[in-house]
Structure formats: C-alpha cells, structure tokens
Amino acid sequence: MAAMKPRTGDGPMEVTKEGRSLIMRVPIDGGGRLVLELNKEEANSLKECLVGVTQG
C-alpha cells in the first residue's frame, strides 16, 4: 500500500522516480495537479506521442 503523502497544491510540471515507477505531476486549470504513475514503457510511449504532435 502506498504511503499517504500530504497534498502539495499547485506547482510546476515535474517527474520523479519513486521505486520502479515514474511519478508525473502536471498543473491543471482551476488549481491542483494531475498525478500520474507511469512505468518506463508508458513513459516512452508518451514521449513518442508528444514528439509526434509537437514536430511539424
């Protein structure tokens, strides 16, 4: 079971490594942050998708 962590409120977009997972925190409109837990394969797929739409 994951440890309970206090809410950190708004903040910058960031990615941290926690154990085997990557934790991505993205600020959202209206306050707060969207928190996603990704593995390496999911992070690489996200990278490919983002590169695909930002180039060109």
Side-chain angles (χ1 to χ4, degrees), residues 5-6 13-14 16-17 20 27 29 33-35 38 55:
K5 296 181 181 179
M13 184 181 305
E14 64 182 0
T16 57
K17 186 170 183 177
R20 296 182 183 176
D29 290 338
R33 294 194 288 177
L34 173 66
V35 180
L38 306 164
Q55 293 181 346

Side-chain angles (χ1 to χ4, degrees), residues 3-54:
M4 295 297 290
K5 296 181 181 179
R7 291 180 179 244
T8 57
D10 295 336
M13 184 181 305
E14 64 182 0
V15 178
T16 57
K17 186 170 183 177
E18 295 184 13
R20 296 182 183 176
S21 299
L22 300 170
I23 306 299
M24 182 170 70
R25 294 173 179 88
V26 181
I28 56 174
D29 290 338
R33 294 194 288 177
L34 173 66
V35 180
L36 301 170
E37 181 177 355
L38 306 164
N39 61 35
K40 186 177 179 180
E41 293 78 25
E42 292 167 332
N44 283 325
S45 293
L46 176 60
K47 175 185 169 186
E48 291 174 15
C49 291
L50 292 172
V51 168
V53 298
T54 57

